[in-house]
Amino acid sequence: LGEYLREGIVRPVREPLNLGEIWHAAWSFAASADQASHVHIITPATWPIVLGQRTALVRLFQNLLENALRHVSDVADPHIVVTWDQHDT
């Protein structure tokens, strides 16, 4: 509260999150049964732990999934492949 009063903003708390859990949460929100029933989803065997804000990351993944599902709706044998790579910063 003190930070809000001083700066007029509240910064979201970043926490360590398993990106696989974020993916599954986003998938449950984004994929309706009829949209996803004919799509092959390929995901990594392991997922990274990232620093982020849970709600924002779920929304980001949900948006990406909804866009992907929208664009593969007329493809005969659609695949969505999710990968990740680590980069040193």
Side-chain angles (χ1 to χ4, degrees):
L1 181 61
E3 180 179 89
Y4 176 81
L5 294 174
R6 279 191 304 275
E7 299 180 23
I9 58 171
V10 175
R11 292 196 173 96
V13 176
R14 291 178 10 154
E15 61 182 315
L17 300 166
N18 181 305
L19 211 51
E21 293 173 10
I22 300 298
W23 162 266
H24 290 292
W27 178 252
S28 69
F29 290 122
S32 67
D34 61 326
Q35 282 182 310
S37 63
H38 73 289
V39 179
H40 300 281
I41 306 292
I42 301 166
T43 59
T46 61
W47 293 87
I49 303 298
V50 299
L51 281 179
Q53 202 269 332
R54 179 177 300 277
T55 305
L57 287 172
V58 170
R59 274 196 313 257
L60 171 69
F61 270 48
Q62 182 179 356
N63 182 267
L64 292 171
L65 282 164
E66 288 170 348
N67 289 341
L69 290 169
R70 189 174 313 119
H71 291 286
V72 299
S73 62
D74 58 347
V75 175
D77 187 25
H79 287 72
I80 296 175
V81 179
V82 179
T83 63
W84 67 274
D85 193 11
Q86 182 173 341
H87 296 273
D88 294 328
T89 58

